[in-house]
Amino acid sequence: MRRWLVAALGMAALFATGCHRVEEPLPPLPERLISISDKFFDVAALDADTAIVVGYGGKILRTEDGGFTWARIPSGTDEALYRVRFVDSQRGWICGQDGVILHSEDGGRSWTRQNSGTNAYLFSLHFVDHEFGWAVGDKSLAVHTRDGGRTWTLHKITSAVAEAQSAEEALAEQDPILYDVFFRDRDHGWVSGEFGRLFQTTDGGTTWVARERSLLGPEIVDVLAIPTFFGLSFASANEGVAVGLEGKIARTVDGGRTWKLDAVDAASALTDPLFAPFLFPEGTGWVVGASGQVLRRSSAVEPWLPASLGMEVATWLRSVTWWNHDIGWIVGGYGLILTTRDGGHTWTPALA
């Protein structure tokens, strides 16, 4: 009896101790730098391993190991950041909502805000050296600097050559949004935008001429049917492309004086927008767009063909860039960052 009582008391003590044991708190989960709610709008490659990604909510990410690990860089803003451009491994600029322009002189490790002089959305910028740059955005507005962004001058881009327009055309094309800008040097530049606007300058932006009417022909019979163009890229002083709505790609081979619709694989039947092109100097290139669309051109004389990323992509792709013919980057919605190190044969998503 005594032995049974001792055992019972021991069991009771054991259960009592278990019921009153204080659980150790679990360590907090590390904050994810990349999540499905992220929207990334642009990426710049600084070298074979270093890249900067910008996006919604003022987010800036930087990698130094080809995308294996990432660091979040303070931007000082919650505004969306749309474009990032570097002229060398150290000096770069970012533009975005509310006239935001940020500048880095240490390879994107830190950023300071410059006074753009406007609160308009700035969708794109481009620098040809550490002093000369342009940014473009809403309501046909642009800002220009000749001192690396210490001062910016406000412009409104309109065509220096007046063209006869119907009242409907004039109303539709009033203050179009400008989506992209590209300069080959301090004199020669191009701007693309809403209502198919394709502007060209040969005097550093002092004057601009609208060139989109050269697209009129059997495929586009009405000025109002020219699609909005979201992105520009030039392979040389003469050859460039603009991409936009309805999967349209316009091409110039005379420095932007005239444009024609470029050949796209007929089986692709593109209807969704294309957002960003990238051309290599020899004319090969890549284009990305809505619904995970990716196109590739293997030579300057061949049509654009669909390219596989090796995975199902259920979001828009906003930017594509390449460090060289092997190392490239694509970014888009749902926190998507893809990189390749074999010329686009295989793509790897970034996880952080």
Side-chain angles (χ1 to χ4, degrees):
M1 178 68 176
R2 181 179 298 172
R3 185 176 298 169
W4 177 84
L5 182 59
V6 170
L9 290 173
M11 292 295 291
L14 180 62
F15 278 112
T17 302
C19 291
H20 290 88
R21 186 176 63 189
V22 177
E23 295 288 340
E24 290 291 330
L26 294 173
L29 293 174
E31 180 185 1
R32 288 187 63 98
L33 292 180
I34 302 172
S35 72
I36 197 171
S37 63
D38 281 318
K39 303 176 182 68
F40 295 127
F41 298 118
D42 200 18
V43 55
L46 278 62
D47 58 38
D49 296 313
T50 306
I52 307 288
V53 172
V54 300
Y56 188 74
K59 199 162 194 175
I60 304 175
L61 298 179
R62 186 177 190 275
T63 181
E64 296 181 347
D65 56 14
F68 287 102
T69 62
W70 295 85
R72 182 163 186 175
I73 307 299
S75 66
T77 181
D78 293 327
E79 304 290 352
L81 304 176
Y82 295 123
R83 184 74 81 230
V84 54
R85 290 289 182 265
F86 277 77
V87 295
D88 54 35
S89 64
Q90 299 300 311
R91 291 171 289 193
W93 289 261
I94 293 171
C95 67
Q97 286 181 333
D98 199 30
V100 167
I101 294 181
L102 307 177
H103 176 53
S104 175
E105 293 188 346
D106 58 7
R109 295 176 181 86
S110 64
W111 296 85
T112 57
R113 186 159 181 170
Q114 297 181 332
N115 182 9
S116 68
T118 180
N119 60 2
Y121 283 29
L122 297 175
F123 293 111
S124 184
L125 55 72
H126 198 267
F127 276 74
V128 297
D129 53 44
H130 68 280
E131 293 180 329
F132 184 95
W134 281 79
V136 299
D138 206 10
K139 299 179 180 178
S140 298
L141 292 179
V143 289
H144 167 229
T145 182
R146 291 180 177 269
D147 57 15
R150 287 186 293 274
T151 60
W152 290 87
T153 302
L154 189 65
H155 297 261
K156 193 162 189 174
I157 294 183
T158 58
S159 182
V161 178
E163 296 175 330
Q165 289 183 311
S166 67
E168 187 179 12
E169 289 173 358
L171 180 62
E173 297 182 10
Q174 187 173 9
D175 293 341
I177 300 169
L178 305 178
Y179 285 112
D180 204 6
V181 56
F182 192 100
F183 271 78
R184 286 289 302 178
D185 52 43
R186 288 195 173 203
D187 292 323
H188 300 88
W190 304 267
V191 168
S192 67
E194 196 176 17
F195 307 120
R197 281 307 202 198
L198 291 169
F199 289 104
Q200 177 199 23
T201 182
T202 57
D203 56 14
T206 301
T207 59
W208 295 85
V209 178
R211 301 294 195 183
E212 64 273 4
R213 285 177 179 262
S214 58
L215 284 167
L216 295 178
E219 294 182 80
I220 301 177
V221 297
D222 188 340
V223 170
L224 295 178
I226 300 175
T228 289
F229 290 112
F230 295 111
L232 284 167
S233 183
F234 273 73
S236 65
N238 290 320
E239 178 163 357
V241 296
V243 301
L245 288 177
E246 301 171 358
K248 294 293 192 294
I249 301 176
R251 181 186 183 192
T252 179
V253 293
D254 59 8
R257 289 187 293 275
T258 62
W259 296 80
K260 301 298 178 185
L261 291 183
D262 210 2
V264 178
D265 176 44
S268 301
L270 299 179
T271 57
D272 291 322
L274 298 173
F275 292 129
F278 181 95
L279 291 183
F280 288 104
E282 72 276 9
T284 62
W286 293 72
V287 173
V288 296
S291 304
Q293 292 181 116
V294 182
L295 301 177
R296 185 177 186 179
R297 187 171 72 181
S298 57
S299 79
V301 297
E302 295 187 20
W304 294 89
L305 300 173
S308 173
L309 298 176
M311 67 191 79
E312 193 72 28
V313 176
T315 185
W316 43 265
L317 304 174
R318 196 62 184 85
S319 180
V320 55
T321 195
W322 292 79
W323 170 249
N324 55 32
H325 282 80
D326 293 322
I327 300 171
W329 298 86
I330 292 174
V331 298
Y334 294 162
L336 187 67
I337 302 175
L338 300 175
T339 184
T340 180
R341 304 185 79 83
D342 60 8
H345 296 292
T346 59
W347 293 84
T348 304
L351 300 174

